Amino acid sequence: MGRRQFFRTAAAGISMIATPSVASDIIFRSGTGNSSSDSPSPLLLSRAKAALETHKSRIRNRDLLAIADFSKPSRDPRFYLVDLRGGQSNSFLVAHGKGSDPAHSGWVHNFSNTHGSEATSAGAYAVGETYFGQYGESRRLIGLEPQNDQAEARAIVIHPAWYVNQTLIQEQGKIGRSQGCFAFAQSDIAQILQRVAPGTLLYADKL
């Protein structure tokens, strides 16, 4: 092969290399969460980043994304804290609402924004202020989209819960259900509240 043909072939090869997608610009490193599978799916991460851009006027903390992947069963750590600046992600157990899983299968079957549904709502939330309620230290959530804009009125919040733990998973293959809230293990709530600070975006969905 002559020099001219070689360089033409090389240039053609370079032009065929795919450009990384928006969701692949983070190189995940091992985190300190509860699972070796600490990285959210690229598609869900892409959706969460798009929501961050859409609602940026309501979000003060743009270095971290909180993502709940309700495509996964409740026995799996499916709540991700994604450090957009450092490229690190950790995962934790999180409960879904009774109304999203009436038969208590451990899977989310549907979302709802309706009062009294006790279901999880999908979409983007702005993390609100801290308060002390029946479960202890908790944090309010503000729904930013039509599919979750009743979150405050429904008292959908972040809180700890006794029914989120590894013992239940070992005994019944799933954790308990909330009334639509994002409920976490007592052992994880301190880290969740520290990192998912007021002004952070929380994104929930299933693929």
Side-chain angles (χ1 to χ4, degrees), residues 103-141:
H104 199 187
S105 65
W107 297 82
V108 167
H109 296 282
N110 61 276
F111 295 114
S112 178
N113 194 32
T114 304
H115 291 257
S117 67
E118 295 191 331
T120 297
S121 296
Y125 298 81
V127 178
E129 64 183 10
T130 301
Y131 74 100
F132 288 84
Q134 67 180 101
Y135 296 103
E137 188 174 5
S138 307
R139 193 150 288 157
R140 302 187 193 281
L141 292 172

Side-chain angles (χ1 to χ4, degrees), residues 2-190:
R3 286 174 58 84
R4 225 174 255 181
Q5 185 179 353
F6 171 83
F7 285 117
R8 279 201 302 269
T9 303
I14 291 171
S15 67
M16 293 175 65
I17 297 175
T19 302
S21 65
V22 173
S24 64
D25 59 2
I26 297 175
I27 301 174
F28 291 108
R29 300 195 296 270
S30 297
T32 56
N34 301 329
S35 170
S36 59
S37 178
D38 282 332
S39 304
S41 76
L43 178 55
L44 201 59
L45 176 59
S46 180
R47 290 182 185 178
K49 291 176 74 176
L52 180 62
E53 178 63 22
T54 298
H55 302 291
K56 60 185 178 183
S57 64
R58 304 284 301 274
I59 304 300
R60 298 195 304 272
N61 177 15
R62 299 179 195 170
D63 293 335
L64 183 108
L65 279 175
I67 303 174
D69 183 357
F70 288 120
S71 307
K72 297 184 176 183
S74 67
R75 65 176 176 267
D76 290 350
R78 56 186 179 169
F79 188 86
Y80 301 94
L81 299 185
V82 180
D83 180 350
L84 296 175
R85 185 179 293 273
Q88 188 174 13
S89 177
N90 310 118
S91 59
F92 304 85
L93 293 171
V94 66
H96 56 252
K98 297 176 182 179
S100 291
D101 179 15
H104 199 187
S105 65
W107 297 82
V108 167
H109 296 282
N110 61 276
F111 295 114
S112 178
N113 194 32
T114 304
H115 291 257
S117 67
E118 295 191 331
T120 297
S121 296
Y125 298 81
V127 178
E129 64 183 10
T130 301
Y131 74 100
F132 288 84
Q134 67 180 101
Y135 296 103
E137 188 174 5
S138 307
R139 193 150 288 157
R140 302 187 193 281
L141 292 172
I142 303 160
L144 300 177
E145 300 174 343
Q147 60 187 329
N148 66 1
D149 62 4
Q150 296 302 304
E152 284 184 282
R154 294 178 60 211
I156 303 302
V157 303
I158 291 172
H159 68 72
W162 64 267
Y163 51 79
V164 181
N165 59 68
Q166 289 292 338
T167 300
L168 279 177
I169 293 173
Q170 293 167 6
E171 292 175 351
Q172 60 185 30
K174 58 199 170 191
I175 59 176
R177 298 165 298 168
S178 69
Q179 292 177 299
C181 294
F182 295 80
F184 296 88
Q186 296 280 358
S187 58
D188 292 333
I189 193 63

